[in-house]
């Protein structure tokens, strides 16, 4: 093939290869060069960092970094399914096999044919391959690696008939793979040869904290063991693992190797490029190989003999090569290997000199075993500089602490305050402009501020497009958002209050958008008013908005995937993976017959029983598959969901009032029941609690609630904006001596005004404080009807009241919804064997590690629901 312009050939279309092409287009390299990209996989580059989220995605396209399938620049041609087999350095050609044509007007056509393409410059971005130790039995069926979407598809297929699996490797990739198996409903074992998990990133204490977290989620962790053999059955399928010096084998039907990676440097070796002693193509500071026309970037490269296994250094190398081709001064001189991840729901971060190898380094440690938090700072011997650190269980400070390592900013006089909780004297510390905020894309605070002040960026989404900060692993997004907001506040500009990076609109604006357009699907909302696929911030928030306006069932097909864990199963998940069930008991009033039913259910299902501070009875320890059977017994007895799992009305607490009490002046029980039945199921930005006291003695603690009512001789006093919790607030008087009809009218208006305008997860107390005018503003809108919205707000509440239905009962009547209540999709009648209990004070509770547990035979199981339960989709 004859080229009119110089041709660059890129071998590999992973995240780093894609980044090279992006940089080449953006920086004008395609003005002088044609680029041909040869991708070995059948799909364009995808987000391998977020690979585990594939199981929650509707399709693999959600992970794609190039959803269009091709680059907009016509001077870049992407060839997929192209397996490169040879490089001829003398003739400057690349040979590859392409099983399928990419375009009808390209000469690279015949499926299965061998093709040759000439190059003027060559970029190797072949990445790395999973390391599979030479363990006997690794060739058996159901032995996998964890690297590509195809790997995950194969693991998912095998999980349909397996009940237990093991991941060999307890590092970053191993825990990601364990998360994947756990999501598939397979009892998961993590096997690590080192004495702790994530041995490269965390120390012994941090590893112990991480292990406790993971075991509490129901996974089994085996550290300090070496796999000696993978056993198979007569059909050649995995049946168990044999460990060295351990007599009993571990019965598993799936094995996933995730024990590290090795650079894919075979092509380089075959064409006699220099390689590092431990693998990887040797490159200089411009990422040139021993052949000046050939570059290597990403995991296949070894700058200075070091192979980097993170995406951020690969991105930096891609930029350096573009710079070199443009004859710029860029150089790769090393990379920040700091990491921040959420592994199995646990925050873990490691940065700088995490193991205190610097001479004279000092360690400051904060550990809270009860909360599962471990934090360590490594500081210089004079206490003035931060050298590194480890965070497990709470990595919220990572965004500020990591930049301090590179910036050299002086530490406060008491540096331990940087890792103490705010309630224990912790402090916030700013960062200098030169501090690196995004390590994946090497973006500093100063560059973010420049994007805001000079390039017109006004949101996280804008800054992402302009600087790429936060666009890879996402761990710095909260810091980016804070920088933007702090700048705008400092210049007196209204701060962007977008719900998240996917929506420029606030929760209030999204509420209005849904109301005006009548959207009932998240996909329609994000297509019309947002970007991307959504996240764990906007999905539940929009699910709440849809529930508030349309009162649909939270498990309907269109909204079920948006819910968090509690709403997804209509119950509160507890620390050992079981759930608690809370039936509604309006006003705390209950008949003896209903009390007996609750007792019988608790006895038959062996549930821990506790009377709550909100005058309800909480039943703990229910397995997921037991929930429908428990609900059936309760619903048949006249109970309904108490919505303890939702951001909705929880309880309206009452005293006995004038019915029984000699001090009572009004019927507090009757009003509490009426209010709880009126507002039950009302979805809101945060949970709601109410209280009604029959006299000024205030036995129902009404002024500690989001709305509280206290009886007077003339009627009722209505208080709003109170709450307990970490930052308690007393409710404030909104209206006094009002009759019951007026009280309900004002409450309808207040609650709907709050639901319309509050931010996500904002309690009524914080919402009132955020309003310009606070309580006075609320009184103007609710009592004085200054906006003329009174009738509209009351009508919205009337629609809610008229459309109410019990979510438990509706689920029991729908076989498709019932299908999600199984622990294992391949064995729906099998309980999760990872759940364990012990006994204390005559009742069950979750067993801690190394505690004696109750045998399954000692735990009673209630009658199953008489409805077919299918597999979770």
């Amino acid at each position: 093939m004859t080229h009119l312009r110089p041709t660059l050939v890129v071998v590999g279309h992973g995240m780093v290869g894609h980044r090279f092409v992006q940089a080449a287009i953006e920086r004008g390299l395609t003005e002088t060069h044609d680029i041909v990209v040869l991708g070995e996989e059948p799909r364009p580059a995808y987000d391998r960092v977020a690979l585990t989220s594939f199981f929650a995605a509707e399709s693999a396209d959600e992970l794609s970094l190039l959803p269009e399938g091709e680059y907009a620049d016509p001077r870049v041609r992407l060839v997929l399914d192209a397996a490169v087999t040879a490089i001829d350095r003398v003739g400057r050609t690349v040979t590859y096999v392409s099983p399928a044509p990419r375009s009808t007007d390209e000469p690279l056509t015949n499926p299965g044919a061998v093709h040759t393409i000439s190059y003027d410059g060559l970029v190797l971005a072949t990445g790395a391959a999973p390391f599979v130790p030479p363990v006997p039995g690794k060739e058996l069926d159901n032995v996998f690696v964890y690297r590509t979407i195809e790997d995950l598809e194969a693991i998912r297929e095998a999980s349909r008939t397996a009940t237990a699996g093991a991941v060999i490797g307890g590092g970053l990739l191993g825990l990601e793979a364990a998360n994947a198996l756990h999501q598939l409903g397979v009892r998961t074992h993590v096997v690590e040869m080192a004495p702790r998990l994530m041995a490269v990133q965390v120390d012994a204490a941090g590893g112990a904290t991480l292990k406790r977290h993971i075991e509490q989620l129901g996974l089994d962790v085996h550290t300090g063991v070496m796999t000696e053999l993978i056993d198979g059955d007569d059909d050649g399928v995995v049946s168990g693992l044999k460990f060295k010096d351990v007599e009993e084998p571990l019965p598993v039907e799936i094995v996933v190797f995730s024990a590290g990676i090795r650079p894919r440097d075979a092509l380089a070796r075959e064409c006699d490029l220099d390689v590092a002693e431990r693998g990887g193509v040797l490159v200089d500071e411009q990422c040139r190989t021993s052949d000046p026309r050939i570059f290597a970037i990403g995991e296949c490269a070894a700058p200075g003999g070091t192979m980097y296994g993170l995406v951020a250094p690969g991105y930096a190398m891609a930029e350096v090569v573009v710079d070199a081709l443009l004859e710029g001064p860029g150089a790769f001189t090393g990379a920040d290997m700091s990491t921040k991840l959420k592994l199995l729901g646990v925050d873990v971060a490691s940065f700088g000199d995490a193991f205190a190898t610097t001479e004279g380094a000092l360690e400051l440690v904060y550990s809270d075993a009860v909360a599962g938090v471990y934090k360590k700072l490594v500081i210089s011997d004079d206490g003035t500089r931060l050298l590194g650190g480890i965070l497990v269980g709470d990595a919220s400070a990572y965004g500020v602490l990591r930049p301090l390592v590179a910036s050299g900013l002086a530490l406060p006089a008491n540096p331990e305050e940087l890792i103490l909780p705010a309630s224990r004297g912790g402090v916030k510390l700013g960062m200098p402009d030169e501090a690196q905020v995004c390590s994946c894309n090497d973006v500093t605070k100063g560059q973010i501020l420049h994007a805001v002040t000079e390039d017109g960026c006004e949101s996280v989404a804008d800054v992402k497009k302009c600087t790429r900060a936060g666009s890879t692993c996402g761990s710095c997004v909260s810091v980016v958002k804070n920088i933007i907001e702090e700048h705008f506040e400092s210049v007196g500009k209204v701060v962007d209050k977008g719900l998240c990076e996917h929506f420029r609109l606030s929760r209030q604006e999204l509420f209005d958008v849904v109301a005006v357009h009548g959207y009932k699907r998240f996909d329609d909302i994000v297509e019309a008013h947002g970007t991307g696929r959504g996240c764990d911030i906007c999905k539940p928030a929009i699910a709440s908005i849809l529930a508030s306006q349309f009162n649909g069932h939270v498990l309907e097909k269109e909204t079920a995937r948006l819910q968090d864990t509690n709403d997804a199963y209509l119950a509160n998940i507890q620390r050992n993976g079981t759930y608690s069930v809370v039936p509604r008991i309006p006003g705390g009033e209950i008949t003896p017959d209903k009390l007996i039913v609750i007792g019988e259910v608790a006895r038959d299902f062996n549930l821990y029983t506790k009377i709550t501070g909100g005058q309800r009875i909480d039943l703990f320890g229910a397995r997921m598959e037991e929930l429908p059977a428990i609900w059936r017994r309760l619903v048949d007895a006249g109970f309904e969901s108490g919505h303890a799992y939702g951001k909705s009305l929880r309880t309206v607490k009452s005293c006995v009032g004038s019915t029984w009490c000699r001090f009572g002046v009004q019927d507090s029980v009757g009003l509490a029941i009426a209010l709880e039945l009126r507002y039950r199921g009302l979805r809101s930005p945060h949970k709601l609690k109410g209280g009604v006291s029959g006299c000024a003695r205030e036995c129902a603690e009404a002024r500690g609630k989001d709305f509280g009512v206290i009886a007077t001789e003339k009627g009722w006093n209505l208080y709003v904006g109170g709450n307990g919790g970490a930052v308690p607030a007393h409710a404030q008087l909104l209206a006094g001596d009002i009759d019951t009809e007026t009280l309900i009218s004002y409450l309808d208006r207040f609650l709907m005004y709050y639901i319309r305008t509050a931010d996500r997860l904002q309690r009524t107390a914080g919402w009132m404080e955020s309003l310009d005018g606070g309580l006075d503003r609320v009184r103007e809108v609710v009592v004085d009807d200054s906006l003329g919205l009174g009738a509209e707000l009351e009508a919205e509440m009337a629609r809610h009241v008229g459309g109410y239905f019990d979510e438990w009962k509706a689920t029991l009547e729908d076989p498709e919804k019932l299908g999600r209540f199984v622990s294992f999709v391949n064995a729906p009648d099998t309980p999760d064997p990872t759940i364990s209990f012990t006994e204390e004070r005559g009742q069950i509770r979750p067993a801690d590690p190394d505690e004696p547990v109750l045998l399954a035979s000692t735990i009673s199981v209630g009658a199953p629901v008489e409805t077919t339960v299918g597999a979770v989709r």
Side-chain angles (χ1 to χ4, degrees), residues 88 95 111 120 201 236 311 414 425 474 513 540 543 555 568 577 629 659 739 780 859:
D88 180 355
T95 301
D120 298 285
Q201 287 81 22
V311 70
N414 299 305
V513 160
L555 299 186
T659 308
D739 59 33
E780 289 173 2
I859 300 177

Side-chain angles (χ1 to χ4, degrees), residues 222-348:
H222 311 264
T223 53
V225 296
M226 180 182 292
T227 304
E228 197 171 57
L229 171 71
I230 303 176
D231 241 336
D233 59 19
D234 294 339
D235 296 323
V237 181
V238 170
S239 62
L241 287 182
K242 180 71 173 63
F243 299 137
K244 185 178 181 180
D245 300 325
V246 177
E247 186 174 339
E248 289 296 321
L250 180 68
V252 294
E253 299 125 300
I254 295 176
V255 171
V256 179
F257 279 105
S258 193
I261 55 176
R262 297 292 183 270
R264 297 185 63 192
D265 55 13
L267 287 172
R269 291 176 184 273
E270 289 166 5
C271 69
D272 293 325
L273 291 175
D274 291 347
V275 295
E277 183 178 352
R278 300 185 64 180
V281 187
L282 273 174
V283 296
D284 61 16
E285 290 188 352
Q286 279 69 48
C287 294
R288 278 191 175 87
T289 68
S290 52
D291 184 330
R293 290 182 178 270
I294 302 178
F295 300 83
I297 57 177
E299 293 167 330
C300 71
T306 300
M307 180 260 195
Y308 294 87
L310 297 177
V311 70
Y315 281 0
M317 293 181 213
E319 296 279 355
V320 164
V321 172
V322 172
D323 203 41
L325 292 167
L326 291 171
E327 299 183 356
F332 183 86
T333 57
D336 180 2
M337 298 299 286
S338 301
T339 54
K340 176 178 178 289
L341 301 160
K342 187 177 284 291
L343 299 165
L344 293 148
V346 183
D347 283 336
V348 181

Side-chain angles (χ1 to χ4, degrees), residues 19 312 315 436 438-443 447 467-472:
R19 179 54 173 272
Y315 281 0
Q436 187 189 59
C438 177
S439 60
C440 291
N441 299 287
D442 190 21
V443 183
Q447 289 172 306
T467 69
R468 291 201 180 96
S471 62
T472 303

Side-chain angles (χ1 to χ4, degrees), residues 543-566:
S544 174
I545 290 172
L546 293 172
S548 295
Q549 296 198 26
F550 302 109
N551 205 23
H553 198 290
V554 296
L555 299 186
E556 292 294 350
K557 187 178 297 184
E558 295 298 335
T559 56
R561 65 188 178 91
L562 307 179
Q563 310 295 347
D564 60 20
T565 303
N566 286 350

Side-chain angles (χ1 to χ4, degrees), residues 6-40:
T7 298
L8 285 172
V9 174
V10 181
V11 180
H13 194 237
M15 296 179 73
V16 174
H18 173 66
R19 179 54 173 272
F20 171 80
V21 177
Q22 280 185 312
I25 295 171
E26 292 169 2
R27 296 172 59 185
L29 187 59
T30 55
E31 296 295 328
T32 56
H33 290 69
D34 291 323
I35 298 178
V36 178
V37 186
L38 304 176
E40 186 178 32

Side-chain angles (χ1 to χ4, degrees), residues 63-104:
L63 295 179
S64 179
L65 299 177
L66 191 67
E68 301 82 6
E70 59 184 18
Y71 292 96
D73 190 328
R75 294 159 295 197
V76 179
R77 183 177 58 190
L78 174 60
V79 184
L80 299 178
D81 272 332
V84 174
T85 57
I87 297 170
D88 180 355
R89 290 170 51 197
V90 176
R92 297 208 300 274
T93 62
V94 172
T95 301
Y96 69 96
V97 177
S98 179
R102 289 294 297 159
S103 170
T104 56

